[in-house]
Amino acid sequence: MSSHQAELPYILRSVSGERRDVRPGAPSEPNEYNFNFKKRGLFLLINNRHFTDDTGQPPREGSDVDAERLEERFQDLGFEVRRYDDVTCAKMTSLLYDAAASDHSDHDCFGCAVLSHGREGLVYAKDGHVPLDLLVLPFKGDRCPSLIGKPKLFFIQACQSERSGNYLDTSCSSRGRSPVSPSSSRRSPVSPPSLAGDEDSPELSGIIHMRKIPIEADCLFCYSTVPGYYSWRNNQDGSWFIQALCIVLENYSTKMELMHMLTHVNRIVAYEFASCTDKEFSENMKTMPCILSMLTRYVYFRPKKQDIR
């Protein structure tokens, strides 16, 4: 490699034209994750509705609506959805560890949704609480080799504290009105609006370039609210975040990149929902979902081609 080439940014460095010489994470790989494996992947759906008395947590009415919608949406995306209701701490942990120990070699990705009560950094099982870090740990790159370089998607529907979210009144803006129209939590949008580490370590030959992949890479965490706040849920219609997520997936999952879809979800929840309760302190409250992405490529859920033999 010439001295001129060595000074170029890594995305411009030359690599072998032979595809077999390119390692996972090499600069010449496409910007999209490879979703051409035989199967879409496993999706774990943990739906905790009822809790033991010693947890102090009330029943989560409406959670079954969320679970049913999520199950349908992710099955439509091609996932093998496994749903579990009212699981204990031990069961919740074992489900995640068993899933991570499975062979995902023929899978595009992995997904998991946890619907429960929560506080910042933890979610409740039926009989206690589990740190979120413990649930994610088995899927890190050093523990689940068959998912290295593949997206691991986590959706967390749970409170992250006990504060309600106020809304910003922009009625004095130059536009003369607020873009936020507080509505009853019993009303959900009918349909969304139309949308237009380490440096490279080259082989001695100078032909093959490899990149070290951090063990936290390729994970996505979608929280129903930002740290420190309530996550609102309606007893009949389900939670605001899951409602919006399922609406967007139903309309755009085959033609829009995942992060774009989640931005659309954020906007729907932030602008189209507001609490409607019989308590003054919790009337017209808002919430804001939170996305934490360590993805390194784009995620497209394009339909898989049928295997015609």
Side-chain angles (χ1 to χ4, degrees), residues 188-257:
S188 58
V190 176
S191 61
S194 300
L195 294 181
D198 287 329
E199 293 297 323
D200 293 349
S201 301
E203 297 281 343
L204 295 177
S205 64
I207 296 177
I208 300 175
H209 288 72
M210 297 177 63
R211 298 205 73 196
K212 295 180 180 179
I213 304 176
I215 60 175
E216 296 86 0
D218 306 304
C219 289
L220 175 72
F221 302 93
C222 305
Y223 299 95
S224 58
T225 188
V226 295
Y229 284 87
Y230 275 130
S231 180
W232 291 91
R233 170 176 39 84
N234 178 266
N235 291 348
Q236 287 77 41
D237 295 335
S239 62
W240 301 355
F241 172 65
I242 299 300
Q243 287 183 61
L245 175 63
C246 291
I247 288 172
V248 172
L249 287 176
E250 183 176 7
N251 284 272
Y252 301 112
S253 61
T254 61
K255 52 191 175 184
M256 185 181 290
E257 200 275 328

Side-chain angles (χ1 to χ4, degrees), residues 22-298:
V22 181
R23 298 292 186 263
S28 64
E29 285 194 333
N31 291 326
E32 296 181 21
Y33 283 104
N34 179 11
F35 269 35
N36 293 318
F37 291 93
K38 184 177 180 180
K39 300 178 180 179
R40 181 73 76 205
L42 174 64
F43 191 93
L44 288 185
L45 175 52
I46 298 174
N47 175 40
N48 290 334
R49 305 161 299 173
H50 303 103
F51 305 85
T52 56
D53 293 339
D54 56 325
T55 65
Q57 301 301 315
R60 298 182 62 254
E61 301 297 334
S63 188
D64 283 346
V65 177
D66 285 343
E68 291 166 6
R69 287 175 175 169
L70 282 175
E71 189 171 8
E72 182 179 359
R73 291 280 71 80
F74 280 92
Q75 283 177 345
D76 288 346
L77 294 178
F79 283 91
E80 176 192 347
V81 180
R82 299 178 186 174
R83 174 178 166 179
Y84 301 90
D85 294 333
D86 297 339
V87 299
T88 63
C89 292
K91 180 66 173 179
M92 185 183 296
T93 304
S94 67
L95 285 174
L96 274 297
Y97 273 78
D98 289 346
S102 301
D103 185 5
H104 301 268
S105 300
D106 290 336
H107 297 175
D108 296 335
C109 60
F110 169 79
C112 175
V114 178
L115 317 177
S116 188
H117 287 301
R119 298 202 306 268
E120 188 170 350
L122 61 85
V123 291
Y124 276 89
K126 179 179 180 179
D127 58 347
H129 54 75
V130 179
L132 286 173
D133 289 346
L134 185 63
L135 299 181
V136 175
L137 183 64
F139 295 95
K140 292 189 176 183
D142 58 339
R143 293 172 178 261
C144 186
S146 61
L147 282 175
I148 291 178
K150 300 178 181 181
K152 279 77 70 175
L153 313 175
F154 296 88
F155 302 88
I156 310 298
Q157 169 57 49
C159 292
Q160 294 207 56
S161 187
E162 297 181 353
R163 281 188 289 172
S164 301
N166 295 319
Y167 67 93
L168 178 65
D169 184 358
T170 58
S171 58
C172 295
S173 67
S174 59
R175 297 179 63 89
R177 62 184 179 88
S178 169
V180 180
S181 300
S183 59
S184 167
S185 65
R186 293 179 175 83
R187 183 180 70 83
S188 58
V190 176
S191 61
S194 300
L195 294 181
D198 287 329
E199 293 297 323
D200 293 349
S201 301
E203 297 281 343
L204 295 177
S205 64
I207 296 177
I208 300 175
H209 288 72
M210 297 177 63
R211 298 205 73 196
K212 295 180 180 179
I213 304 176
I215 60 175
E216 296 86 0
D218 306 304
C219 289
L220 175 72
F221 302 93
C222 305
Y223 299 95
S224 58
T225 188
V226 295
Y229 284 87
Y230 275 130
S231 180
W232 291 91
R233 170 176 39 84
N234 178 266
N235 291 348
Q236 287 77 41
D237 295 335
S239 62
W240 301 355
F241 172 65
I242 299 300
Q243 287 183 61
L245 175 63
C246 291
I247 288 172
V248 172
L249 287 176
E250 183 176 7
N251 284 272
Y252 301 112
S253 61
T254 61
K255 52 191 175 184
M256 185 181 290
E257 200 275 328
L258 179 58
M259 289 300 295
H260 289 182
M261 286 193 282
L262 293 175
T263 302
H264 193 28
V265 170
N266 280 359
R267 186 166 72 251
I268 291 175
V269 175
Y271 285 88
E272 299 297 331
F273 288 93
S275 62
C276 179
T277 72
D278 56 0
K279 299 178 182 179
E280 184 177 353
F281 76 92
S282 59
E283 178 74 6
N284 285 337
M285 293 293 105
K286 307 292 290 185
T287 193
M288 185 71 237
C290 179
I291 304 169
L292 177 60
S293 174
M294 280 79 79
L295 297 179
T296 57
R297 288 174 176 78
Y298 302 129

